[in-house]
Amino acid sequence: MSAGPALDRITCDRARIARDPRFDGAFFTGVMTTRIYCRPTCPVKPAKSRNVVFFPTAAAAERAGFRPCLRCRPEAAPGTPAWRGAAATVSRALRLIERGYLDDGKRVGDLADTLGMTARHLRRLFVRHAGASPTAVATTRRVQRAKALVDGTAMPMSAIAFAAGFASIRRFNAAFRAVYRRPPTAVRRARRGRAGARGGSTAPFPITSPGRSVSDYENGFLSPIRPRVRSRIPTPAPRGSETVAKSKSGS
């Protein structure tokens, strides 16, 4: 059994058992006994072949009720090659979603209008090629961005929520809990605890993935969200300005 389009079960199964890095990001493996989904390169002992199912995207796995593995961190997987073979329209829509098109109050109908089709037809194409709806894909990407920031930075959770594209902290917490079955603060605390137990640094983990440098990450991932963060975080007044203002008002 495999979920989603154009996934050859035999090829996927061989790739995950061999932990073949060439397939990292090409598909995700859902383990039916634990309801967890992983990257093909997951370091955990591979599950038996009869107990796994394959998905073209992380959103498709979550739509089927699987949660991300905390060991292999699906949010750090390279760009999904499976999407590149999708219909041209879906590929363009995915690029727009990746850039945050649905993060600033726009709806699937607006995305469909941009692509010159009805929202119903766009949803049908997404289910066929990506295994999930545009809304589900966008939510998954927001949670993945947030998870990367939780693991790799010391940013406060409120800043992470807006940086990842959520309209409110409440929605961020709800979406994160729905995916990871725990709040983001617990995930950060547990990860730092594991690092401390190994005798490593408890400083933020570097947000990198295979084939990507830190500068690639900052230029590609952080650049579109920096303006969003800055617009929502108040800028402190220069030191001494309050005193000057009071003296003027008192004169």
Side-chain angles (χ1 to χ4, degrees), residues 89-90 93 107-126 134:
T89 299
V90 177
R107 301 179 179 275
V108 174
D110 300 317
L111 179 61
D113 289 341
T114 299
L115 299 169
M117 63 180 62
T118 65
R120 181 179 179 182
H121 184 53
L122 180 62
R123 291 189 184 96
R124 187 162 52 241
L125 287 176
F126 258 73

Side-chain angles (χ1 to χ4, degrees), residues 58-168:
E62 291 173 15
R63 179 174 178 243
F66 291 80
R67 67 182 188 276
C69 174
L70 294 177
R71 288 288 301 279
C72 64
R73 300 173 60 204
E75 73 278 359
T80 323
W83 292 353
R84 297 173 192 161
T89 299
V90 177
S91 295
R92 185 184 172 199
L94 287 165
R95 286 194 297 270
L96 290 172
I97 290 174
E98 185 70 25
R99 294 169 187 163
Y101 187 93
L102 295 179
D103 293 348
D104 295 314
K106 293 183 179 178
R107 301 179 179 275
V108 174
D110 300 317
L111 179 61
D113 289 341
T114 299
L115 299 169
M117 63 180 62
T118 65
R120 181 179 179 182
H121 184 53
L122 180 62
R123 291 189 184 96
R124 187 162 52 241
L125 287 176
F126 258 73
V127 171
R128 182 191 309 164
H129 292 287
S133 69
T135 301
V137 170
T139 299
T140 295
R141 288 303 297 134
R142 290 186 202 113
V143 174
Q144 287 178 337
R145 292 185 198 120
K147 176 62 162 53
L149 293 171
V150 167
D151 284 344
T153 76
M155 291 171 63
M157 294 302 166
S158 56
I160 287 176
F162 296 125
F166 289 95
S168 68

Side-chain angles (χ1 to χ4, degrees), residues 20-79:
D20 192 332
R22 296 175 299 173
F23 289 84
D24 195 14
F27 67 88
F28 296 89
T29 303
V31 182
M32 291 184 287
T33 53
T34 61
R35 305 303 294 178
I36 290 174
Y37 74 91
C38 305
R39 296 160 64 175
T41 55
C42 186
V44 176
K45 181 181 178 181
K48 294 181 179 179
S49 297
R50 66 172 180 269
N51 292 331
V52 301
V53 61
F54 302 106
F55 299 94
T57 65
E62 291 173 15
R63 179 174 178 243
F66 291 80
R67 67 182 188 276
C69 174
L70 294 177
R71 288 288 301 279
C72 64
R73 300 173 60 204
E75 73 278 359

